[in-house]
Amino acid sequence: ILGYRAELLAAACSKPILILCYNISLARKLIAIINAKGLAERVSVMHFHDWCGLQLKTYFVDLVPGDAPHWEKQVTSVIQGVEAGHIPRAQYGAVLIDEGHDFEAEWLKLITQMIDPESDSLLLLYDDAQSIYNRRSGLGFSLSSVGIKAQGRTTILRLNYRNTREILAFAYQFAADVLGAADSDDDHIPLLLPESAGNHGPEPKVVRVSAWADELAYTVSALKAWHEQGMAWNEMAVLYANKFQGGALARVLKEACIPAYWLGTSEYKKSYDPLKDQVAIMAIHSSKGLEFPAVIVTGADALNADEQLEQSVRLLYVGMTRAQRYLQLTVSQETPLTLRWQSA
């Protein structure tokens, strides 16, 4: 939807189009989509904090002093720069925001000022079920409070076209008590029960093994099996819960002569090419907004289910629903989260 909307607006707007998201790896995927449509000269795709950094560099605005994290100071500096008139408003004919549930109120308030009032064109895509960076359900603020005119302009897309019925049913059964469902009005964001568009496929597979090393070995064998069935390497992804697991996965895939790319750092994420024929290895957090025909989720027992149960359940729900047709999950230690897989 975002890609086609950008294509339409690029032909109609005199000013450039901006696409923003929070996830770096998703930005790389969106760039590939825009480039494939031949829109790179008219449409800019950026990770939100990279966009803030570019604004500061372009308009020679200094970073505010203080002990806050660098990314936080970038945002504050841009906001202050706009308020002081050092950074111009209305730079873009349209702004499109993917994964809007990851954006803070002050970010959205800043972004809406970047839209040319003559076009007044904003697309905000949002899925409350994928809100994994905070504990709240919903935005926590009204859209009108950040300058978004949502009344009468909201469309709710209820059908899920990404996952098979089997994957969606399994993921929802796993997370149903956490996700729930809540209605809302145009000025707030509802949480929707997932509805499948009707595609069928294999049942998700939970593989119980005795140790993390066995999870690694099984992952290698599953990837090879899918490839032997005719699947391209870049149609597969391996998702993990803890950073140390990513390094181990990258090592064993290399030893097995499986072409793979580990999105282990910000720089690696920014260099990710989703069109290159290689297996994507990434943290579950980095998979938000992406999709692959086949997904393996490993190392879930490393997640903290005691203190952060809701966040961990939402995170695994996101990971499982990256799979379009084949979903496999490996388990080597029994935890409240992995027991949910068994009951689902």
Side-chain angles (χ1 to χ4, degrees), residues 1-12 16-19 30-45 96:
I1 289 170
L2 183 144
Y4 283 115
R5 178 69 174 165
E7 190 172 21
L8 176 71
L9 292 169
I17 311 300
L18 175 66
I19 296 176
L30 295 174
I31 287 171
I33 291 172
I34 294 304
N35 288 346
K37 290 180 176 291
L39 301 175
E41 292 186 2
R42 300 282 301 121
V43 180
S44 297
V45 182
L96 300 86

Side-chain angles (χ1 to χ4, degrees), residues 12-330:
C13 292
S14 57
K15 289 186 176 181
I17 311 300
L18 175 66
I19 296 176
L20 290 174
C21 63
Y22 179 73
N23 188 347
I24 298 174
S25 48
L26 175 57
R28 296 299 304 167
K29 175 67 174 179
L30 295 174
I31 287 171
I33 291 172
I34 294 304
N35 288 346
K37 290 180 176 291
L39 301 175
E41 292 186 2
R42 300 282 301 121
V43 180
S44 297
V45 182
M46 302 199 74
H47 168 248
F48 174 69
H49 291 97
D50 279 352
W51 175 80
C52 288
L54 182 62
Q55 290 290 308
L56 297 177
K57 183 178 179 180
T58 301
Y59 297 103
F60 305 100
V61 175
D62 293 331
L63 202 65
V64 296
D67 298 326
H70 180 75
W71 60 266
E72 191 174 303
K73 290 194 290 186
Q74 282 185 315
V75 177
T76 302
S77 301
V78 175
I79 291 173
Q80 292 184 5
V82 172
E83 291 175 349
H86 302 311
I87 297 176
R89 295 176 170 87
Q91 296 181 32
Y92 302 97
V95 174
L96 300 86
I97 301 172
D98 203 1
E99 304 283 295
H101 42 268
D102 293 333
F103 282 65
E104 300 290 341
E106 62 178 6
W107 304 359
L108 291 172
K109 193 170 184 178
L110 167 64
I111 294 164
T112 55
Q113 298 178 68
M114 295 294 119
I115 304 169
D116 188 335
E118 288 191 14
S119 58
D120 200 23
S121 182
L122 171 71
L123 175 66
L124 176 69
L125 302 178
Y126 185 104
D127 178 5
D128 190 45
Q130 295 188 54
S131 181
I132 60 175
Y133 293 109
N134 52 64
R135 293 177 179 273
R136 68 178 184 242
S137 178
L139 284 171
F141 53 87
S142 67
L143 294 173
S144 57
S145 70
V146 295
I148 297 177
K149 305 167 188 175
Q151 292 287 351
R153 303 170 70 184
T154 299
T155 300
I156 297 175
L157 306 177
R158 297 183 180 276
L159 287 183
N160 176 314
Y161 290 91
R162 171 184 289 136
N163 315 116
T164 61
R165 282 183 177 272
E166 290 76 10
I167 290 173
L168 189 61
F170 175 78
Y172 181 68
Q173 184 66 32
F174 169 84
D177 62 321
V178 168
L179 295 183
D183 294 326
S184 191
D185 56 35
D186 279 358
D187 202 29
H188 296 76
I189 302 296
L191 176 57
L192 305 177
L193 292 175
E195 298 179 27
S196 173
N199 298 322
H200 282 282
E203 291 286 348
K205 184 177 182 181
V206 179
V207 180
R208 296 198 62 179
V209 293
S210 57
W212 166 239
D214 298 324
E215 291 191 58
L216 295 173
Y218 180 83
T219 297
V220 168
S221 64
L223 294 173
K224 287 185 173 181
W226 281 331
H227 189 61
E228 288 169 3
Q229 294 167 14
M231 192 175 294
W233 294 119
N234 65 355
E235 294 181 317
M236 311 175 210
V238 183
L239 311 183
Y240 58 86
N242 193 298
K243 188 172 184 178
F244 83 87
Q245 298 167 338
L249 286 161
R251 186 187 69 252
V252 297
L253 265 61
K254 182 178 181 180
E255 291 171 352
C257 298
I258 295 175
Y261 189 83
W262 178 28
L263 287 75
T265 67
S266 293
E267 291 307 311
Y268 287 159
K269 292 174 188 175
K270 291 175 183 178
S271 300
Y272 171 52
D273 181 359
L275 300 181
K276 191 171 182 179
D277 195 23
Q278 55 193 0
V279 177
I281 305 170
M282 68 184 79
I284 303 173
H285 280 93
S286 295
S287 72
K288 281 169 46 57
L290 303 178
E291 59 188 24
F292 302 87
V295 170
I296 300 178
V297 180
T298 64
D301 52 71
L303 291 173
N304 189 332
D306 297 323
E307 298 177 5
Q308 300 175 321
L309 177 63
E310 180 176 340
Q311 283 182 297
S312 296
V313 169
R314 281 177 176 262
L315 182 63
L316 284 173
Y317 177 84
V318 167
M320 290 186 283
T321 53
R322 300 311 91 199
Q324 294 172 294
R325 183 165 180 80
Y326 299 99
L327 172 63
Q328 299 197 14
L329 312 116
T330 63

